[in-house]
Amino acid sequence: MYEDIITVSTVTLRPMWGQKEQNLNRILGYMKAAKKKGSDLVVFPEMALTAYDDEAEKPLEEKMQYKLAETVPGPSTNKVAELAKELGLYVVMGMPIKDAQKPGTIYNGLAIFTPEGLAGDYHKMHLPAPEPNWATRGDKPFILDTPWGPIGCAICYDTYCFPELMDYYVAKGCRMYINSTALAHCHGKCLGDDTLRAQCIREGIFIVSSNLGGLDKDNYFWGGSSILGPSAKTWEPHYYAGMPFTAEGADEEAMYTATIDLSLATRFLYKHNPAVNGTDWRPEKYVGMFQDVLADKGFGK
């Protein structure tokens, strides 16, 4: 049986654009602070190690993300892994990742750590503009195994526009979903808050979001990191820590911590329903629907 009670920290970070060593030092500091708060898990934003913004006019080899990307494992993840082991902490950190077999291939990724060290890395599966200027799409989900059960990991656009990934994680037993994100003012006021609250209600799980905050190189990021989960009220979500992306002051750098009870994650769409002799969620039907889409010669054109 999995443990139910977990303490989680999530960080709104304003990384210094292109200053990897300074950002890494701050990440290590927040890890120590999270441990002092009693946290089991700390989550950092998308591209926390280097900052996010792209210089569209530059060729790939001259871009900041290309120059600062590292393989996993690599110098920065080695330092995070060492401290994670020392502190007994689970850590999720956004960074540009260089493919060890294809050094010219860069991913917008997450490095993921346990108290035993590096667990692996996730490559963002869905890339909005301007990320295709430097990043290649990933093609595999990542589930982190923990004493509290499996935890699904995703990045930003994966979460807001492609519910299939969250569906997969919840169906695999995840009671918590990590949304490491870089949500900016240019994305509008509705994409983040409305989507997360709806997903929390629909999936009946906890969502831990960690967002960039303040001015990057060009974009201004909302901040608003949060730990969102099922409420005691029917069909309502609750902010256990943090705040909506668009709340006053959400853009300020801060760490938010909460102790949550994962047994409150209902996951009801994915549990056996004797009334229909199965689950309300019907993957056996969706497979055929998606195959039909792929067979359509007009799809994607």
Side-chain angles (χ1 to χ4, degrees):
M1 180 177 291
Y2 294 125
E3 296 182 29
D4 290 322
I5 309 303
I6 183 173
T7 301
V8 181
S9 289
T10 184
V11 180
T12 295
L13 187 70
R14 183 182 176 186
M16 301 171 187
W17 193 88
Q19 303 299 311
K20 183 165 63 175
E21 292 304 317
Q22 288 177 278
N23 296 331
L24 177 60
N25 188 56
R26 296 160 68 202
I27 288 167
L28 297 173
Y30 272 116
M31 289 171 60
K32 294 174 184 176
K35 185 62 179 179
K36 289 178 183 177
K37 290 278 190 179
S39 290
D40 304 294
L41 165 69
V42 58
V43 181
F44 293 97
E46 178 178 5
M47 296 295 286
L49 186 62
T50 61
Y52 177 88
D53 279 342
D54 175 52
E55 294 177 297
E57 71 282 359
K58 290 189 175 182
L60 176 62
E61 293 77 11
E62 295 180 17
K63 290 183 182 291
M64 177 273 288
Q65 294 88 345
Y66 184 90
K67 291 179 177 180
L68 298 185
E70 298 182 10
T71 58
V72 176
S76 295
T77 56
N78 287 343
K79 291 181 180 179
V80 175
E82 181 180 357
L83 185 58
K85 287 193 285 186
E86 178 184 327
L87 298 175
L89 199 60
Y90 289 82
V91 182
V92 177
M93 176 184 74
M95 62 178 286
I97 295 175
K98 181 184 297 184
D99 192 303
Q101 274 66 53
K102 298 178 287 184
T105 298
I106 309 299
Y107 303 105
N108 179 344
L110 300 176
I112 301 163
F113 308 85
T114 76
E116 285 72 49
L118 178 69
D121 54 319
Y122 168 75
H123 305 155
K124 189 173 183 179
M125 294 178 67
H126 307 92
L127 301 181
E131 293 169 32
N133 290 347
W134 60 270
T136 296
R137 292 193 293 186
D139 56 12
K140 293 185 294 186
F142 189 100
I143 294 177
L144 174 63
D145 292 321
T146 77
W148 302 274
I151 296 175
C153 300
I155 303 176
C156 201
Y157 195 38
D158 290 335
T159 300
Y160 308 124
C161 294
F162 302 95
E164 295 86 356
L165 185 58
M166 187 181 291
D167 290 345
Y168 170 77
Y169 286 142
V170 181
K172 294 292 285 184
C174 296
R175 301 185 294 176
M176 181 186 293
Y177 176 99
I178 290 171
N179 176 41
S180 182
T181 186
L183 192 71
H185 285 199
C186 65
H187 300 126
K189 293 184 177 181
C190 298
L191 181 63
D193 290 330
D194 291 355
T195 301
L196 288 188
R197 286 193 284 253
Q199 289 174 322
C200 179
I201 293 168
R202 185 191 70 205
E203 308 290 0
I205 63 164
F206 287 84
I207 302 172
V208 180
S209 288
S210 177
N211 195 22
L212 302 176
L215 183 66
D216 197 79
K217 191 176 188 299
D218 303 302
N219 281 297
Y220 200 92
F221 288 87
W222 286 109
S225 299
S226 66
I227 301 169
L228 188 66
S231 168
K233 302 177 182 67
T234 304
W235 297 105
E236 290 188 26
H238 175 67
Y239 286 91
Y240 288 83
M243 62 189 79
F245 293 114
T246 56
E248 183 70 27
D251 54 345
E252 299 291 349
E253 183 162 325
M255 183 175 74
Y256 303 100
T257 303
T259 299
I260 55 177
D261 181 356
L262 294 179
S263 70
L264 300 178
T266 59
R267 299 177 52 253
F268 66 95
L269 299 179
Y270 306 86
K271 293 182 177 179
H272 183 76
N273 179 359
V276 296
N277 194 31
T279 62
D280 290 346
W281 189 64
R282 305 185 71 187
E284 75 283 359
K285 301 299 181 185
Y286 310 144
V287 167
M289 292 160 60
F290 287 133
Q291 287 175 337
D292 180 52
V293 169
L294 291 172
D296 186 345
K297 293 181 180 179
F299 175 67
K301 294 182 180 180

